[in-house]
Amino acid sequence: RISLASPSMLQSLLPLKDFGEEEFISLLLLKFEVAGNGAHGLFFQKLWALFLLSLYPPCNLTSCSNIVLGKSNSIFQKFLYVLSNVDNSLATNVLSYEVCGEEEETVDICAENYEALLQEQRMKDIVFVASFQESVSAIMNRLPTELGGQKYEQFLGIVGSDMLRQLEQALTIN
């Protein structure tokens, strides 16, 4: 969430020279896969997908951007999954936490106050309020300019026309 709110902070927080950029991107792809488990899986997958998206040019971490561009086919598959599963009318399909059972202490709060508090917290969360569709569209529109002719052609070769067509279709449907 920090990197999404302030992308320049990422460079100071992550000592990627010790870890390796390729390993870092592979870790993010694995985090996306693992995040799909549980009631809030899609919400966390959206978080990791937004993080991967933030590493596309113009990113301060050029070495990460190059690796992300090289792995774009598998990354775009993740983007397609999120685009096809997130309910845009809700911004995300996050389920609220509910405590069940008689042994739990209960706080006497009316449903309206609880919903107001929940909505206030949601509106502060960048993952909840960010439109994944708009974020992907913005990056896709900037890539030709950011990469330049030859590098953009290499990128298109990596991704493939079928993947780009699927992504464009998902962006227009949503």
Side-chain angles (χ1 to χ4, degrees):
R1 287 183 171 95
I2 291 171
S3 117
L4 298 175
S6 179
S8 61
M9 261 187 151
L10 178 65
Q11 199 165 8
S12 63
L13 292 174
L14 296 175
L16 293 178
K17 291 177 185 159
D18 299 334
F19 188 65
E21 292 88 355
E22 181 113 18
E23 291 83 2
F24 176 64
I25 303 304
S26 296
L27 176 67
L28 293 177
L29 290 168
L30 286 172
K31 293 294 276 180
F32 179 92
E33 292 297 326
V34 173
N37 300 323
H40 302 289
L42 189 57
F43 180 76
F44 290 118
Q45 285 181 317
K46 183 181 175 188
L47 169 68
W48 292 113
L50 282 168
F51 188 46
L52 284 164
L53 191 62
S54 74
L55 297 174
Y56 276 87
C59 174
N60 293 338
L61 299 171
T62 308
S63 57
C64 279
S65 291
N66 292 334
I67 293 167
V68 165
L69 290 170
K71 294 185 177 230
S72 286
N73 200 41
S74 60
I75 292 171
F76 281 13
Q77 289 174 353
K78 313 292 187 227
F79 292 173
L80 282 171
Y81 181 82
V82 173
L83 285 167
S84 62
N85 287 292
V86 170
D87 184 352
N88 286 323
S89 65
L90 301 173
T92 185
N93 66 344
V94 179
L95 303 173
S96 60
Y97 178 75
E98 186 175 318
V99 177
C100 299
E102 294 176 18
E103 294 180 20
E104 295 288 330
E105 286 186 33
T106 58
V107 176
D108 207 17
I109 185 170
C110 73
E112 290 174 10
N113 289 345
Y114 173 75
E115 284 301 318
L117 178 63
L118 189 60
Q119 187 60 25
E120 178 185 325
Q121 294 301 313
R122 284 180 183 157
M123 298 320 291
K124 291 178 183 177
D125 191 338
I126 192 165
V127 179
F128 188 81
V129 296
S131 167
F132 190 69
Q133 177 187 3
E134 289 174 13
S135 300
V136 172
S137 292
I139 290 293
M140 294 303 295
N141 291 335
R142 283 197 316 249
L143 275 179
T145 307
E146 292 291 331
L147 295 178
Q150 185 178 11
K151 199 166 182 179
Y152 186 68
E153 290 300 320
Q154 290 174 338
F155 165 75
L156 292 177
I158 292 168
V159 174
S161 58
D162 188 45
M163 178 60 71
L164 286 174
R165 183 181 43 73
Q166 289 177 37
L167 189 61
E168 287 176 15
Q169 186 178 19
L171 289 171
T172 55
I173 289 172
N174 294 324

